[in-house]
Amino acid sequence: MSSKAESYIYKKVISIGTVCELTGLSERQIRYYEKRKLIFPERSERGNRKYSFSDVEALMEIANKIEEGMQTSELRKELNMKQSTSYEHAVKETMIRGQLNAYFNKRQ
Amino acid sequence: MSSKAESYIYKKVISIGTVCELTGLSERQIRYYEKRKLIFPERSERGNRKYSFSDVEALMEIANKIEEGMQTSELRKELNMKQSTSYEHAVKETMIRGQLNAYFNKRQ
DNA sequence: CGTGTAAGGAATTCTGACACG
DNA sequence: CGTGTAAGGAATTCTGACACG
């Protein structure tokens, strides 16, 4: 009754001020990393940015990498790679599933 | 690297406006249930209420019970019962652990 | 490139109170 | 008892810009 396995991790409910407290970053920094397409907050009706816990984690990793001298463009490339990799995985899975379906459809 | 098992469910990071959206309740209602000691938000430095996902779930249950005609005083009693029950459990566990410790200490 | 800051406006949140019932 | 509302102030958030480098 009180525990649904909805992933609260991805729910965008945290406002920028709270994200600042959680990450130690400034609003300026957080908005800049958004501009560089490293994070993707949602917007409330009024237009206020809303972040998830997942975003907060991502921001802390970004902050570390930046401190180490990495540039946002490089971080952006990393992100693209991760995404294309999981995209390829998805494609592979879809293909296999297609083969399985074809197989079973023949037998039905 | 990106998944820590911290319970985000209990982290107080959601502001009252967002809680309104998530629960469908008014700010007035949410503050009133706090006054009746049914929920316990934290406060930011400035004094703004911060809620957890757990609070949001609790509020939705409260809202249901209220709709069914239950009063906040009754809900408060329910809460006391739940808490005293888990308190009793904790006491029992502590006692058993004490016996175990006593047992092993003797043998050392 | 990454970040600080002052600027001005619009929405947010807070509290205590009047109101109905 | 539970909730709506107008009131006034204080903090929040937003955007675009100037700045340094």
Side-chain angles (χ1 to χ4, degrees), chain A residues 8-106:
Chain A
Y8 291 131
I9 302 99
Y10 299 110
K11 205 139 197 183
K12 310 267 185 176
V13 295
I14 314 175
S15 57
I16 196 164
T18 305
V19 174
C20 290
E21 290 174 20
L22 294 173
T23 62
L25 298 171
S26 67
E27 292 186 15
R28 186 74 163 96
Q29 289 173 305
I30 295 169
R31 294 201 191 101
Y32 182 65
Y33 301 150
E34 177 185 355
K35 188 177 217 174
R36 302 315 309 273
K37 302 195 174 169
L38 298 177
I39 48 170
F40 308 92
E42 290 182 355
R43 298 283 183 136
S44 69
E45 313 131 38
R46 192 279 214 188
N48 287 13
R49 274 168 264 249
K50 293 295 176 188
Y51 302 84
S52 64
F53 282 113
S54 173
D55 290 328
V56 171
E57 287 187 8
L59 280 167
M60 297 178 84
E61 288 189 30
I62 291 167
N64 286 334
K65 302 274 179 65
I66 294 268
E67 267 188 271
E68 291 168 14
M70 199 169 289
Q71 291 189 202
T72 55
S73 57
E74 301 178 74
L75 287 167
R76 177 63 204 160
K77 278 177 203 160
E78 272 188 20
L79 205 59
N80 279 332
M81 280 174 58
K82 282 183 198 168
Q83 284 175 176
S84 64
T85 303
S86 41
Y87 173 70
E88 281 156 23
H89 278 191
V91 168
K92 193 176 287 180
E93 276 184 44
T94 302
M95 288 177 66
I96 292 169
R97 196 172 298 117
Q99 293 177 341
L100 286 171
N101 286 340
Y103 177 72
F104 284 113
N105 285 335
K106 276 182 194 157

Side-chain angles (χ1 to χ4, degrees), chain B residues 44-62:
Chain B
S44 69
E45 313 131 39
R46 193 279 217 189
N48 287 12
R49 274 167 263 248
K50 294 295 177 188
Y51 303 85
S52 64
F53 281 112
S54 174
D55 291 328
V56 171
E57 287 187 9
L59 280 168
M60 296 178 83
E61 289 189 29
I62 292 167

